[in-house]
Amino acid sequence: MENNSRKPLFYFSNRWFLLFLFVCFPIFSQSPISLRSVDLSSYPEVKLRIHTNGDVTPTRYSISEQVGSTTRLTEEVKVSRLQTKNPLGLYLSIPSYTNAEDRRWLLQLANQMVKIAEQSGGQSRLHIQSDASFPIFERIRSQALDVSFPFPKEEPTQFPIRNWDRFVDSIPENESNTDSILVLVSFAKEWPDRFAIPEFAKKIREKRLQLFVLSPNSLEANKLVSYANGSFFSISKADSFTSLFLQLKETASPDWEIQYLSPWKLSQWKENEVNVTLSGIPSGIQTEFQYEITPFQTMYLKGSDPFVFFPVSLFLILLCIASLYYLRGFEPTPQKERNVAQLTPVSYEDRDERKEEMAVYDRMYGETLEKAAKDREIALVTKENAVLHGSAYTYAVIQVREGSQLYEPIPLQWEEMTIGSFESNHIVLHDPNVSGLHAKIKNRKGKYILFDCVSEAGVYLNGRKLLRPKVLHNLDEVQIGKTILTFRGRY
């Protein structure tokens, strides 16, 4: 019994001792100088953008650069204040109210914080703590936080860390140089889910959020602030609100720009790592950072320069246009094509088809086999360069009409489509006056050519007998026997 009674006493005594350490000696100490960016576009001239917190006024600085184990000091440092303010991204989480006084106080607190973010040019998001729901207001304005604001009344949350963790998950990662402020307001002195504080603080640091906690002075609150490298403000002290608003205004204040000439003047086409120490004089406050010089980074900086990017881009565009213009007019000579045609082996099927077509030419047009063969070779050489008179279509169909019977349009989707009474034809006509292979239509570069395959009854195009192959035009009528075929083409 004595051991059991001593254990709680020892536990609470250590707990209050740790609370005293958290309040008086924070684990992480924030530097009053924070680095925004390093500009190496005009190296060896280096431009630093810094932000100062508190009463630090940079009147004079000394900068030293270390490469390897050797350190060199800069000779001249220029300090100037930027004109534009630093836009704040404010993420505010407040508890729900229990009475009218709490409601009015919470709305006034949120109104003042959102107004500071508005004056800096930033945006705000308001979260109401609740275990049952997740009320959140995007891009809230200070004018809306008045007595008419639809403030939901929720039960006091039992798991504040769980509520805040869900709220932080909804915040996008801060990938810019602007400040994202996370303000957590709580009335509770103890948080039952305190075991989740380390993971929650890690998530805050990963999203680069500056944490402000306004709550009663407790071990949990100071532990969260210490782990997340934030700031704590006691809700029971009047000067805490003044310090909170002052720190928000200082965060939104304009940044400083520091220019100096690097004493090393390193080559931009070699990899080097430089450690920089920035010290304030006479305050003695200093901060350390490093920057790297790599060939890839140098190429990117040179390419992003407008005086380099636009001339190079214009030259590449003109080069592409010239190449396309040259390739557009390039065609092989007929002599080369003839040599290629002579070297290309001819299959037996092509040879039989050629003999059949030469026989058709001989019977229909009165040409000899030798002349047809010669014309055939000439046609094979010049068919790609020959200009066919007529219109080229991207899509064409044949409308078949037998007497009063009108059939569905037949697409001309093959390079060659045959017409006749045989079932092997692409277009079969059940007409006693139609031969087995009566006619055919060939597609040559979008131009459809009508051929008569030595039919007995012949082929009529627009009322005239077809004596030689001709290119079809839109709405041309082809008569085969007693069947009318209407050609329709679309560009």
Side-chain angles (χ1 to χ4, degrees), residues 36-50:
R36 298 286 193 194
S37 62
V38 180
D39 185 5
L40 302 176
S41 58
S42 56
Y43 187 85
E45 184 183 38
V46 182
K47 296 180 181 179
L48 306 177
R49 183 179 175 182
I50 65 171

Side-chain angles (χ1 to χ4, degrees), residues 62-322:
S62 66
I63 299 178
S64 60
E65 291 189 349
Q66 180 181 355
V67 177
S69 59
T70 307
T71 303
R72 292 183 181 179
L73 191 67
T74 57
E75 297 180 357
E76 184 180 0
V77 179
K78 297 180 181 179
V79 181
S80 59
R81 189 78 179 260
L82 300 178
Q83 299 298 325
T84 58
K85 286 188 175 182
N86 178 36
L88 296 182
L90 179 64
Y91 302 95
L92 177 60
S93 176
I94 61 176
S96 185
Y97 62 94
T98 56
N99 50 50
E101 183 179 356
D102 288 348
R103 184 180 189 275
R104 182 170 57 253
W105 183 85
L106 288 169
L107 287 176
Q108 290 178 356
L109 177 66
N111 180 279
Q112 295 299 321
M113 291 186 184
V114 172
K115 187 176 294 184
I116 294 175
E118 288 178 355
Q119 292 174 354
S120 68
Q123 297 179 353
S124 304
R125 179 187 294 183
L126 179 62
H127 167 241
I128 310 299
Q129 301 164 20
S130 172
D131 291 334
S133 59
F134 188 62
I136 191 169
F137 298 89
E138 300 282 350
R139 297 184 179 182
I140 191 70
R141 308 294 296 179
S142 59
Q143 294 86 349
L145 296 171
D146 54 11
V147 293
S148 61
F149 179 71
F151 201 151
K153 187 175 183 180
E154 304 286 345
E155 294 293 332
T157 178
Q158 299 296 325
F159 305 101
I161 301 296
R162 185 183 302 174
N163 271 264
W164 294 332
D165 186 79
R166 187 178 178 186
F167 180 50
V168 171
D169 286 337
S170 66
I171 299 175
E173 293 187 5
N174 184 14
E175 299 179 353
S176 62
N177 294 324
T178 59
D179 287 300
S180 295
I181 309 296
L182 175 63
V183 182
L184 306 178
V185 182
S186 176
F187 292 151
K189 294 183 178 180
E190 294 185 1
W191 302 338
D193 50 352
R194 66 179 69 90
F195 60 87
I197 287 179
E199 291 296 328
F200 179 56
K202 179 181 178 182
K203 186 176 296 185
I204 293 175
R205 295 195 303 269
E206 289 176 350
K207 292 206 171 183
R208 300 173 58 187
L209 299 173
Q210 298 185 28
L211 176 64
F212 292 166
V213 177
L214 181 63
S215 70
N217 200 347
S218 62
L219 178 64
E220 290 83 357
N222 285 273
K223 184 178 179 181
L224 175 61
V225 169
S226 300
Y227 283 2
N229 199 11
S231 302
F232 173 76
F233 303 92
S234 177
I235 202 171
S236 59
K237 295 182 179 180
D239 56 349
S240 296
F241 299 94
T242 304
S243 301
L244 174 60
F245 293 139
L246 181 61
Q247 191 164 347
L248 285 175
K249 291 181 179 179
E250 289 174 350
T251 307
S253 61
D255 295 335
W256 296 82
E257 187 179 67
I258 299 178
Q259 299 182 14
Y260 69 94
L261 193 65
S262 174
W264 288 97
K265 299 181 181 179
L266 302 170
S267 172
Q268 294 181 275
W269 303 102
K270 295 182 179 180
E271 293 188 1
N272 290 285
E273 186 175 294
V274 183
N275 297 316
V276 183
T277 302
L278 177 65
S279 303
I281 300 175
S283 61
I285 300 173
Q286 68 177 15
T287 183
E288 297 181 356
F289 62 93
Q290 66 180 12
Y291 65 85
E292 294 181 353
I293 300 176
T294 61
F296 177 78
Q297 181 183 11
T298 303
M299 292 179 60
Y300 174 77
L301 294 175
K302 297 295 184 182
S304 59
D305 186 1
F307 294 101
V308 177
F309 176 77
F310 289 108
V312 172
S313 300
L314 181 61
F315 172 76
L316 294 176
I317 292 173
L318 294 176
L319 182 63
C320 292
I321 294 176

